[in-house]
Amino acid sequence: MIKYHPTDEMLAAHAVGELAASMSIAVSAHCEMCEQCKKKLAKFTEQAAQLAFDAPVPHGENAVASRVNTQEEPLDMNAMFGNMLADIISDEMVPKTLITPTPKAEINVCGETYSLPIALRRYHQLGWSSIGTISRARLPLNEGDTRASLLHIGMNGSVPSHTHKGTELTLLLGGHFEDEHDTYVPGDFIMLDASNHHTPQTHDGCLCYTVSDAPLHFTKGVSQLLNAVGRVIY
């Protein structure tokens, strides 16, 4: 059962297109996996649409210009609907737009196969960098210091004990992992910052989508070596 979700503020921002692409992908993918947030997002989207339709009419000069334009080019509503009706009952063949479902996309990482949510399917062919049981493929989103990646941890692998120099989102896409605080399942949307310290590990392997704005900071072991690993993950 999914226990970690985006905030309502984040869902509302996604509904009106205010999130950066990296975070928008995460919210879309989570909502595909989480029925609870999917329903919330639909509600926020409906509210946003209603607000757009209820927007006040222009005032002042814009309103005058609008009325002038309407007077200069009056619409013949009867003719418009007459033409629409004629098109509908016409025997002529009208070209149709065919809509097909997005094909499933799977990726294979270190011998493990995972299905990608719709928001990530265009990124099923990425270049991977690896060190030990950790593999990372970066998405080409060009958001400055913010990096979005697919992160894979192999079976019985772990990320050394660390904290965060900035903010990090982890969306678990497949498999499971755990740390000192909890056990995570596909769909969990985990936000962490400098106040969080943990040691993620997995028994069956896992694939995550991550968004971070700074490298990890490792707190145990040979710091120079481990913080090089942090740069690979970031």
Side-chain angles (χ1 to χ4, degrees):
M1 176 179 169
I2 298 173
K3 292 182 285 185
Y4 298 90
H5 308 268
T7 63
D8 285 356
E9 290 78 13
M10 190 175 291
L11 290 170
H14 178 64
V16 296
E18 292 181 351
L19 294 182
S22 56
M23 198 60 71
S24 180
I25 289 171
V27 173
S28 293
H30 171 81
C31 289
E32 185 179 344
M33 306 168 78
C34 174
E35 194 63 29
Q36 172 185 327
C37 289
K38 183 178 181 179
K39 291 178 180 178
K40 282 187 177 182
L41 179 60
K43 180 180 178 180
F44 286 130
T45 302
E46 181 180 354
Q47 291 174 349
Q50 189 62 48
L51 286 173
F53 280 117
D54 291 344
V57 296
H59 295 286
E61 293 182 0
N62 290 337
V64 173
S66 177
R67 287 196 296 270
V68 169
N69 290 336
T70 301
Q71 292 172 356
E72 290 178 351
E73 299 178 7
L75 294 176
D76 187 339
M77 299 303 294
N78 289 331
M80 180 185 296
F81 285 109
N83 291 334
M84 292 174 59
L85 181 60
D87 288 338
I88 292 172
I89 64 177
S90 172
D91 290 333
E92 295 181 5
M93 294 297 295
V94 178
K96 296 181 179 179
T97 301
L98 299 180
I99 301 175
T100 57
T102 303
K104 292 183 178 180
E106 295 182 338
I107 60 171
N108 186 284
V109 190
C110 300
E112 297 293 326
T113 300
Y114 300 92
S115 294
L116 294 177
I118 292 173
L120 283 162
R121 287 180 184 172
R122 70 179 68 183
Y123 303 111
H124 68 284
Q125 294 180 329
L126 297 173
W128 290 82
S129 300
S130 300
I131 182 167
T133 59
I134 302 171
S135 301
R136 186 264 296 156
R138 184 168 295 153
L139 275 64
L141 297 182
N142 299 319
E143 292 183 359
D145 291 336
T146 299
R147 311 284 177 83
S149 306
L150 291 176
L151 179 70
H152 179 261
I153 307 175
M155 293 179 61
N156 298 314
S158 65
V159 178
S161 182
H162 64 274
T163 185
H164 302 265
K165 292 184 177 181
T167 301
E168 180 189 64
L169 159 73
T170 299
L171 172 64
L172 184 54
L173 300 175
H176 303 79
F177 76 87
E178 60 189 38
D179 60 16
E180 298 88 339
H181 311 292
D182 211 341
T183 298
Y184 307 96
V185 301
D188 273 330
F189 190 100
I190 309 148
M191 293 292 298
L192 300 173
D193 58 25
S195 66
N196 302 110
H197 180 281
H198 68 152
T199 310
Q201 55 186 339
T202 177
H203 299 293
D204 56 347
C206 65
L207 178 70
C208 304
Y209 172 71
T210 66
V211 179
S212 57
D213 55 18
L216 306 183
H217 179 69
F218 292 95
T219 55
K220 293 182 180 180
V222 184
S223 60
Q224 288 183 340
L225 174 61
L226 294 181
N227 286 308
V229 176
R231 288 190 290 272
V232 170
I233 296 174
Y234 171 57

